[in-house]
């Protein structure tokens, strides 16, 4: 075989020779099946990425109970570190798919998730693990956060514009379920020995006779990460939309790219930030009462609501237009984030249901906005630019857990209440409401979408 033929064979195994989703004949004959298969596989991998990214939020509320001597500020920093890493790594992921292709990027980035999972598996079994090591492992958990900025742009390339709102909402919404999965499964999976005790011994919770196997919270996902990563290598292919790093930098010259980044901070920054900090907020605000609520018994509901609404709002945004739905999202966020401040200095557990209700309202409206903003972006840019803008906006908004963890910690330290952060959020949401209305939602807007 000649070197030219060998190279062609290698190219054919990864890069599709033709991809024209806007051509109805091509889409019906071969595009649709491959696009939905790709969506299914990458969504499964994205779900594992969110599991890894938010695993720390499920672990930190248990660490003080098993002998880790950590202050409230240190716990908030542990929840913030995956957000710092996720946002930073998303910047890198923004540019990967047009260079290396869907198949290579999804496979390698999924298998790298094994690093933080194995690290946490060992770390939680020793209460003497240095805080610096815990911070490093929390940062590594951000590998899961980075994947979003390559997986989602890849999906936008596989679908015609008329279906991109639905496809992106389905993938992101189901992927976001990873947050609820890790927060819901953790309390159950740490209650018994896995593999007949071969996965390590138990820890004894402080002030109780109950034994915990906290390492299970990381170990249980390892087989799924391996399976989904290998499936990506054998079943995925890459769309022949290619550009080097320098060519992709043109997205930073786009005015609407900057504006959509601000709007996505409002939606996904809110979702990711509160997903990471919701369990700790419950513990800090309501944990001193007798019969205090278990944070993880309630916290998973927030990401669950946000994820469901992202899936639901995708088709609605395709039908009504993303800008109108984003407007509803912003109004709802302003109302809920102000209302929750009335229940952050509780005098009894009677206020807890109201606190949870308005927090779930924040997740509800952020989920709607997550879907609608991803409908707006493909309508504003060319396919390659839209993929880049989706990746970049996702990268910036992924700093949500870091920003929320840090700012909530500072608010509590300085004022004894998280309300300062909530007030700042309300001001920011109001600015986003004005931006979306002026440029996209009003009659005669510059770029209706």
């Amino acid at each position: 075989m000649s070197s030219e033929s060998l190279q062609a064979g290698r190219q054919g195994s990864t890069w599709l020779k033709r991809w024209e989703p806007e051509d109805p004949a091509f889409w019906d004959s071969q595009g649709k099946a491959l696009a939905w298969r790709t969506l299914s596989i990458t969504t499964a991998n994205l779900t594992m990425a969110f599991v890894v990214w938010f695993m720390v939020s499920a672990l930190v509320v248990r660490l003080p109970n098993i002998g880790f001597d950590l202050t409230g500020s240190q716990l908030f920093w542990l929840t913030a570190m995956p957000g710092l890493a996720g946002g930073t790594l998303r910047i890198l992921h923004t540019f990967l798919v047009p260079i290396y292709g869907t198949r290579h990027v999804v496979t390698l980035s999924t298998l790298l998730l094994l690093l933080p999972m194995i690290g946490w598996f060992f770390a939680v079994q020793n209460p003497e693990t240095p805080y610096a090591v815990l911070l490093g492992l929390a940062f590594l958990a951000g590998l899961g956060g980075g994947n979003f900025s390559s997986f989602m742009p890849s999906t936008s390339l596989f679908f015609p514009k008329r279906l991109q709102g639905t496809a992106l909402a389905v993938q992101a919404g189901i992927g976001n379920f990873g947050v609820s999965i890790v927060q819901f499964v953790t309390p159950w999976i740490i209650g018994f020995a896995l593999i007949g005790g071969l996965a390590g011994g138990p820890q004894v919770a402080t002030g109780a006779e109950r034994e915990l196997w906290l390492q299970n919270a990381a170990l249980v996902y390892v087989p799924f990460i391996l399976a989904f990563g290998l499936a990506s290598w054998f079943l995925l292919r890459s769309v022949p939309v290619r550009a080097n790093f320098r060519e992709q930098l043109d997205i930073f010259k786009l005015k609407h790219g900057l504006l959509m980044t601000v709007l996505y901070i409002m939606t996904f920054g809110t979702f990711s930030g509160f997903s990471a900090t919701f369990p700790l907020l419950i513990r800090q605000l309501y944990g001193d009462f007798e019969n205090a609520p278990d944070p993880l018994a309630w916290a998973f509901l927030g990401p669950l609501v946000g994820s469901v609404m992202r899936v639901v709002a995708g088709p609605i945004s395709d039908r009504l237009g993303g800008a109108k739905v984003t407007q509803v999202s912003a109004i709802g966020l302003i109302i809920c984030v102000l209302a929750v401040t009335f229940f952050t200095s509780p005098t009894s557990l009677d206020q807890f249901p109201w606190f949870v209700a308005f927090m779930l309202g924040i997740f509800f409206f952020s989920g709607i906005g997550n879907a609608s903003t991803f409908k707006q972006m493909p309508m504003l840019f060319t396919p390659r630019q839209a993929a880049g803008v989706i990746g970049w906006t996702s990268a910036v908004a992924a700093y949500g857990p870091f920003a929320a963890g840090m700012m909530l910690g500072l608010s509590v330290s300085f004022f004894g209440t998280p309300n300062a952060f909530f007030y700042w959020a309300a001001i920011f949401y109001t600015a986003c409401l004005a931006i979306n209305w002026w440029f996209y939602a009003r009659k005669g807007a510059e770029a209706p979408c």
Side-chain angles (χ1 to χ4, degrees):
M1 181 180 290
S2 67
S3 60
E4 292 83 359
S5 299
L6 181 60
Q7 180 64 20
R10 288 174 177 168
Q11 291 278 343
S13 66
T14 295
W15 296 93
L16 298 166
K17 293 182 178 180
R18 177 191 175 206
W19 191 255
E20 300 175 17
E22 301 294 347
D23 180 347
F26 175 84
W27 178 253
D28 290 336
S29 63
Q30 52 187 298
K32 181 176 9 179
L34 180 57
W36 285 106
R37 185 183 78 186
T38 301
L39 178 68
S40 300
I41 296 169
T42 54
T43 298
N45 283 273
L46 185 61
T47 302
M48 287 298 102
F50 272 89
V51 163
V52 174
W53 194 22
F54 285 90
M55 179 184 62
V56 178
S57 71
L59 291 176
V60 294
V61 295
R62 302 292 190 194
L63 293 180
N65 296 337
I66 60 171
F68 284 83
D69 185 16
L70 300 170
T71 67
S73 177
Q74 288 176 318
L75 292 173
F76 271 116
W77 270 103
L78 284 177
T79 63
M81 288 305 289
L84 174 63
T88 304
L89 292 170
R90 281 190 180 193
I91 296 173
L92 172 64
H93 273 268
T94 297
F95 305 100
L96 293 182
V97 169
I99 299 174
Y100 300 108
T102 297
R103 183 190 188 199
H104 287 83
V105 171
V106 174
T107 300
L108 181 59
S109 59
T110 297
L111 294 178
L112 282 174
L113 300 178
L114 294 171
L115 295 177
M117 301 309 263
I118 293 173
W120 277 105
F121 168 78
F122 288 106
V124 297
Q125 297 184 65
N126 180 12
E128 301 301 320
T129 301
Y131 180 63
V133 173
L134 297 179
L135 279 177
L137 290 173
F139 188 88
L140 276 180
L143 286 168
N147 293 0
F148 191 89
S149 280
S150 54
F151 288 24
M152 296 296 287
S154 166
T155 295
S156 74
L157 295 174
F158 274 90
F159 286 83
K161 284 190 174 183
R162 63 184 175 84
L163 292 176
Q164 286 189 17
T166 298
L168 292 170
V170 168
Q171 179 168 53
I174 295 177
N176 291 168
F177 275 120
V179 186
S180 290
I181 289 172
V182 74
Q183 293 180 350
F184 179 78
V185 169
T186 296
W188 168 71
I189 200 68
I190 65 175
F192 54 89
L194 283 180
I195 327 175
L198 295 178
Q203 305 93 42
V204 178
T206 303
E209 297 300 324
R210 183 188 176 198
E211 293 183 331
L212 300 177
W213 287 261
L214 204 57
Q215 65 269 26
N216 293 357
L219 181 63
V220 70
Y221 301 106
V222 169
F224 295 98
I225 293 170
L226 279 171
F228 295 160
L230 292 175
S232 301
W233 179 255
F234 290 109
L235 298 175
L236 293 183
R237 295 296 178 264
S238 303
V239 171
V241 176
R242 309 195 64 177
N244 60 36
F245 177 77
R246 180 176 297 178
E247 290 170 335
Q248 296 182 67
L249 295 179
D250 64 347
I251 64 173
F252 298 111
K253 300 177 182 178
L254 303 171
K255 178 180 73 173
H256 293 294
L258 173 62
L259 295 176
M260 290 308 304
T261 299
V262 174
L263 295 182
Y264 198 60
I265 292 172
M266 175 185 71
T267 61
F268 186 76
T270 295
F271 174 85
S272 61
F274 282 118
S275 291
T277 56
F278 193 22
L280 201 50
L281 273 175
I282 295 174
R283 184 178 187 274
Q284 295 289 93
L285 299 178
Y286 288 87
D288 291 335
F289 290 106
E290 187 178 356
N291 298 320
D294 181 350
L296 295 183
W298 294 92
F300 81 95
L301 292 172
L304 178 63
V305 168
S307 301
V308 169
M309 292 315 301
R310 187 165 194 166
V311 175
V312 171
I316 295 174
S317 299
D318 275 339
R319 188 176 306 112
L320 300 180
K324 293 179 181 178
V325 180
T326 299
Q327 202 73 355
V328 173
S329 170
I331 294 170
L333 284 171
I334 294 168
I335 294 171
C336 291
V337 81
L338 288 175
V340 80
T341 61
F342 291 97
F343 306 98
T344 53
S345 299
T347 56
S348 74
L349 282 179
D350 292 339
Q351 295 161 279
F352 182 67
W354 288 103
F355 171 76
V356 171
F358 285 113
M359 286 297 298
L360 294 184
I362 293 172
F363 283 102
F364 180 93
F365 288 107
S366 67
I368 290 174
N370 284 337
S372 60
T373 48
F374 266 31
K375 172 60 180 177
Q376 291 174 263
M377 288 181 235
M379 305 304 294
L380 294 169
F381 312 105
T382 66
R384 198 266 300 164
Q385 287 179 329
V389 171
I390 287 171
W392 173 253
T393 59
S394 301
V396 177
Y399 285 108
F402 173 71
M406 180 183 66
M407 294 173 70
L408 280 167
L410 290 174
S411 180
V412 172
S413 297
F414 289 151
F415 305 108
T417 171
N419 283 358
F421 172 74
F422 288 114
Y423 295 144
W424 173 89
I427 294 171
F428 174 67
Y429 297 155
T430 302
C432 291
L433 177 72
I435 290 171
N436 184 69
W437 178 80
W438 180 259
F439 288 100
Y440 309 118
R442 68 184 175 91
K443 184 178 181 180
E446 178 180 325
C449 54

